[in-house]
Amino acid sequence: KVMLPQDDYNYTADLWRIASECNVDHIFSVMPENQLAVAYPPEKIGHATVSTVLTGYIDENSLSKIDAMHHECARSIDIGYRANALPYWFGYFGQIKMKLQTVFSEKLVQYPNMQTNIQNTVDTKNAFLGDDWTRFLLSCRCMLGCLGGSSILDPDGSIAKRVDAYCAVHPEAEYEEVHQACFPTEEDSIRGFAPSPRIFECAMTKT
């Protein structure tokens, strides 16, 4: 039996229980190799062994579809980017994707002739969905990028629950306030950082 979890820094105890109760033989995780024992303590997962895999792979059918779309798009955008807001219970690392947009947008004011389309998304606002995302990639010469993942291990989901409850009462709270109120000592309990599947999409679109 094989388990292929992802985002396995949250409610991880459920994965431990499933692995043990279902006699899972092997767990393929996207956690870096040096974090596997943190995410999957050997005493929690029965006889299962664990190894690291990538967060995504290139699909030949998708690649053929992308090749057929190349003629629709010109590389009119020098730098493009989209990132979705992540809950604060991802830790400081989960906020980096959003910060990229702010930092680069501020710096690029110095280069008025550069064509950019760098925005964060909220739900589907400013987002490109389906084939529109592929067309956006094909329209960009470059794409900003960073590792994905979390800097907080939350095995029972208690941190997420505290954060959600706090933010419901304090919807304008910034990250540092929520950090101090909800998880002052849990930051860096894991370094679950991995290349996003977006790196493969950029490779496929030659962005």
Side-chain angles (χ1 to χ4, degrees):
K1 293 178 182 177
V2 176
M3 178 184 284
L4 295 97
Q6 200 154 327
D7 295 344
D8 40 357
Y9 30 73
N10 189 248
Y11 290 97
T12 322
D14 288 339
L15 300 176
W16 303 340
R17 177 181 54 79
I18 293 169
S20 180
E21 292 181 1
C22 296
N23 294 315
V24 169
D25 298 300
H26 198 82
I27 301 169
F28 292 101
S29 172
V30 299
M31 286 287 176
E33 190 169 341
N34 63 2
Q35 298 296 300
L36 291 177
V38 179
Y40 295 97
E43 68 275 12
K44 300 284 190 181
I45 58 174
H47 71 271
T49 54
V50 192
S51 58
T52 299
V53 291
L54 298 175
T55 56
Y57 294 86
I58 290 179
D59 174 63
E60 297 295 339
N61 292 330
S62 296
L63 189 60
S64 298
K65 182 178 180 179
I66 288 169
D67 286 342
M69 294 172 67
H70 266 282
H71 70 279
E72 299 179 25
C73 308
R75 300 281 183 180
S76 57
I77 301 169
D78 293 310
I79 305 176
Y81 187 62
R82 286 296 185 277
N84 195 34
L86 293 178
Y88 289 150
W89 43 260
F90 277 76
Y92 76 88
F93 197 80
Q95 311 312 307
I96 292 177
K97 291 180 180 181
M98 297 284 286
K99 288 184 177 180
L100 274 182
Q101 185 270 337
T102 303
V103 171
F104 273 85
S105 294
E106 290 174 352
K107 295 293 185 181
L108 287 169
V109 172
Q110 305 172 44
Y111 305 94
N113 293 327
M114 185 170 288
Q115 300 300 310
T116 63
N117 191 329
I118 301 172
Q119 298 186 58
N120 288 327
T121 63
V122 179
D123 296 323
T124 59
K125 183 181 179 182
N126 298 326
F128 292 107
L129 306 178
D131 288 346
D132 287 339
W133 172 245
T134 303
R135 293 187 183 95
F136 179 58
L137 288 171
L138 289 168
S139 298
C140 296
R141 294 177 60 212
C142 302
M143 179 72 57
L144 303 183
C146 67
L147 295 175
S150 174
S151 51
I152 292 180
L153 182 67
D154 187 11
D156 60 1
S158 59
I159 297 173
K161 292 172 184 175
R162 290 200 299 269
V163 169
D164 290 345
Y166 188 89
C167 290
V169 178
H170 306 88
E172 303 301 321
E174 298 289 340
Y175 177 74
E176 282 304 321
E177 176 186 340
V178 178
H179 173 207
Q180 290 302 319
C182 300
F183 49 94
T185 62
E186 289 91 343
E187 193 73 84
D188 270 329
S189 51
I190 199 165
R191 299 180 65 81
F193 315 147
S196 162
R198 191 171 297 188
I199 193 171
F200 301 101
E201 295 174 335
C202 285
M204 294 163 75
T205 55
K206 299 182 172 65
T207 306

